Amino acid sequence: MGNLSRRRILTLGAALGLVGVTDVSQAWSWSSSGSIAGTDSVTDPFSVWDPTADEVAARLLADGSIPAVNKAWESWADNSDALPSGMPDYLTAYLKEVNRLPSWADPALLAASEKLYKRLSSYLFVSESLGSGILSTVIPRESRAVYWSAGGADMKARAAKTFTFGYDLHSETAWQPGGHFVVSANKTRLVHSAVRNLLPTSSHYMATADEPKPISNGDILITFHSVATVAHNNMQKWGVKLSATEQAADLHAWQVALHLLGVQEQFIPASWSDAQAQATQMLWPVVAPTSEGISLAKTLLGYVEDPVLGLDTGFVSEMVRYLIGDKYSDWLGLPHDLVSRTLIKAAWPAYVQFREGTSSTVPDGFYLFDQFIRGIAMLYLNNGTSATQTPITLPTANRPGA
């Protein structure tokens, strides 16, 4: 097969979100000419981490400051909040440098993203929390890092913290003084750094690791594509109409988010077509089943299928299959429900079009889908206890027994 034909097949697979190519022998070739840096070099993002933040996290772990920092962070939530007292001077100095938007952030596009996400919130709940949440369990590096870290031992809390990041990004006040996203992103960045310091001390993690430490710039980009690029594809597949400005606003919000997470500008895609090309090389070729991922998927789906939410197991499994495809779902051992499958394939796009106002016909399963969205929202927003946020805290250890 020629290189051009191969690229076309991979691009189609990335657009559909249904390809699991396992050939990863080709060297990294995505050029920074497709990044917001606009240079023309090829640098492997899987060999780049976040050294400044990692050094701060290492000091916090070494001097035992993390419990005090987590306590101090309780009062630090809004973008306009002053940095809290009770933190080591070196952490305060670091946060003073990073707790702000980059100079290239576009206020008009960020404001447009707030309006867009308010409109798309229901669909993003489905695509990102259920679809991308389960898709993450067939990304081997992510699955192993999550499973063997402290969060892997309490996946309901871990999922809630992860969704806090997404909820804050998609809030209608995300970038405003009373919004939370800049703070949530900076907390998450330091959580990643703590995990980078901790996981290499886990014999169980290192036994299967194929990198010296987890969560490289490349790994963060893979997560970005499994969430944002997949959601972008889903909006197109479901018939959600987005203007050019709305698509640019969506991407720009994620560009700023990646910057706040410590991803270098040479890796941040400049356009959705650049993002698709990057995902083609870094996401779809690496998906594979792992014992850790299968365990995580079973745990996550157990929360969604909780009878309290009134969601049928067959319906949930088929919704996951619709979102991530049969191949990945088979890896995870998800059951089939042909009745739910038929309903979802025919009625979910019609439901979206009705909600979008592009169709006046109430689709079959309308109330079922509404119930489904409410259940997902309740699970991930409330975590069973809070109607606002789940605090993002720094870990002090790996999974017990790791």
Side-chain angles (χ1 to χ4, degrees), residues 191-384:
V191 170
H192 288 169
S193 289
V195 171
R196 285 191 203 100
N197 278 276
L198 289 166
L199 273 183
T201 68
S202 164
S203 59
H204 290 284
Y205 170 76
M206 294 304 293
T208 57
D210 60 352
E211 54 185 346
K213 53 186 174 181
I215 323 178
S216 66
N217 270 204
D219 296 326
I220 294 173
L221 286 164
I222 285 180
T223 300
F224 155 70
H225 290 301
S226 72
V227 177
T229 305
V230 166
H232 178 74
N233 296 338
N234 281 338
M235 297 308 107
Q236 294 179 324
K237 182 171 68 175
W238 300 341
V240 177
K241 303 298 183 183
L242 300 177
S243 69
T245 298
E246 287 175 326
Q247 293 190 55
D250 182 20
L251 179 62
H252 191 62
W254 280 104
Q255 288 170 333
V256 177
L258 288 170
H259 168 84
L260 292 172
L261 289 176
V263 176
Q264 296 182 4
E265 292 179 7
Q266 64 174 321
F267 303 129
I268 301 176
S271 69
W272 278 118
S273 62
D274 293 316
Q276 296 285 7
Q278 193 182 72
T280 293
Q281 184 170 355
M282 69 170 15
L283 172 57
W284 307 114
V286 304
V287 290
T290 61
S291 58
E292 293 93 342
I294 292 169
S295 175
L296 293 176
K298 183 178 180 180
T299 301
L300 289 170
L301 286 169
Y303 300 143
V304 180
E305 294 164 359
D306 189 318
V308 174
L309 300 180
L311 300 176
D312 178 77
T313 298
F315 176 82
V316 171
S317 294
E318 286 298 340
M319 197 69 200
V320 172
R321 287 182 174 276
Y322 178 73
L323 292 167
I324 73 172
D326 283 327
K327 181 174 184 176
Y328 306 158
S329 299
D330 287 344
W331 288 347
L332 299 172
L334 302 188
H336 291 273
D337 185 320
L338 295 181
V339 173
S340 294
R341 184 185 189 92
T342 300
L343 171 66
I344 291 167
K345 290 182 68 174
W348 175 255
Y351 169 81
V352 173
Q353 291 167 26
F354 178 78
R355 289 284 300 265
E356 282 289 288
T358 58
S359 170
S360 59
T361 303
V362 180
D364 292 338
F366 177 84
Y367 293 106
L368 176 61
F369 289 129
D370 261 9
Q371 177 190 31
F372 170 67
I373 289 175
R374 285 196 301 271
I376 293 293
M378 181 175 71
L379 176 67
Y380 285 95
L381 292 183
N382 298 350
N383 192 26

